[in-house]
């Protein structure tokens, strides 16, 4: 197994908000990031969330199971198709992870995100995720 490179979240190029600059333009359209995290007890599951900014699309996986898909209509990895172009918002979008509590476990967990650019010559790319714990408002 090849070692993963390390970088600070905020992956991308050409939009002046990237903490880890990528040489994607003209070279590749897909980026994979992952992060191990620990949960001490199942009561933490309900508070867990994923905050993310993206341009153009992404697929998020929790412990190997797909949980969230944005702007990638079908497929994954090199087989991903119908990736809609879009600009990253200034604000992070928050996704509750509680609906996927069956995928979480006490102890070590892994969140992995596959980021997609709509085309090889795209002028920019953003993939800026973070995990957080919060008391969610009642719906």
């Amino acid at each position: 197994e090849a070692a993963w490179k390390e970088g600070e979240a905020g992956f991308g190029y050409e939009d002046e908000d990237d903490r880890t600059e990528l040489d994607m333009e003209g070279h590749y359209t897909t980026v994979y990031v992952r992060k191990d995290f620990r949960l001490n007890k199942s009561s933490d599951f309900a508070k867990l969330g994923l905050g993310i900014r993206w341009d153009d699309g992404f697929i998020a996986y929790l412990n190997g199971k797909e949980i969230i898909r944005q702007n990638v209509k079908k497929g994954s990895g090199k087989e991903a198709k119908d990736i809609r172009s879009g600009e990253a918002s200034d604000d992070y979008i928050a996704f509750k992870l509680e609906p996927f509590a069956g995928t979480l476990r006490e102890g070590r967990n892994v969140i992995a995100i596959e980021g997609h650019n709509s085309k090889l010559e795209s002028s920019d790319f953003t993939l800026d995720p973070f995990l957080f714990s919060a008391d969610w408002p009642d719906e």
Side-chain angles (χ1 to χ4, degrees):
E1 180 179 314
W4 285 70
K5 293 181 180 180
E6 292 190 24
E8 188 177 347
F11 305 94
Y13 68 93
E14 289 301 324
D15 45 15
E16 300 178 22
D17 64 354
D18 307 308
R19 290 180 292 285
T20 299
E21 288 279 331
L22 303 175
D23 65 348
M24 277 179 89
E25 188 174 11
H27 300 283
Y28 52 96
T29 59
T30 307
V31 171
Y32 303 90
V33 299
R34 70 178 183 181
K35 179 72 176 166
D36 291 6
F37 64 98
R38 298 190 67 77
L39 291 173
N40 295 325
K41 55 189 180 226
S42 60
S43 62
D44 294 338
F45 296 2
K47 294 182 175 189
L48 196 60
L50 171 66
I52 189 165
R53 295 177 55 247
W54 69 92
D55 170 357
D56 290 316
F58 76 91
I59 305 171
Y61 302 86
L62 188 55
N63 294 325
K65 181 178 189 277
E66 182 180 322
I67 58 168
I68 303 166
R69 177 181 288 253
Q70 294 290 315
N71 294 351
V72 181
K73 191 157 188 156
K74 54 188 167 185
S76 61
K78 292 180 182 179
E79 304 303 316
K81 303 232 183 309
D82 297 333
I83 299 160
R84 189 175 50 183
S85 182
E87 292 300 317
S89 72
D90 290 337
D91 298 319
Y92 290 87
I93 306 299
F95 295 91
K96 284 185 180 183
L97 297 188
E98 182 181 21
F100 313 104
T103 306
L104 290 164
R105 53 186 169 243
E106 289 185 26
R108 181 181 176 267
N109 291 269
V110 178
I111 186 130
I113 303 173
E114 175 181 305
H116 291 275
N117 237 345
S118 61
K119 60 187 179 206
L120 194 60
E121 305 303 331
S122 181
S123 63
D124 62 355
F125 175 79
T126 296
L127 185 63
D128 192 4
F130 69 96
L131 289 173
F132 64 91
S133 179
D135 290 322
W136 292 86
D138 292 333
E139 294 181 37

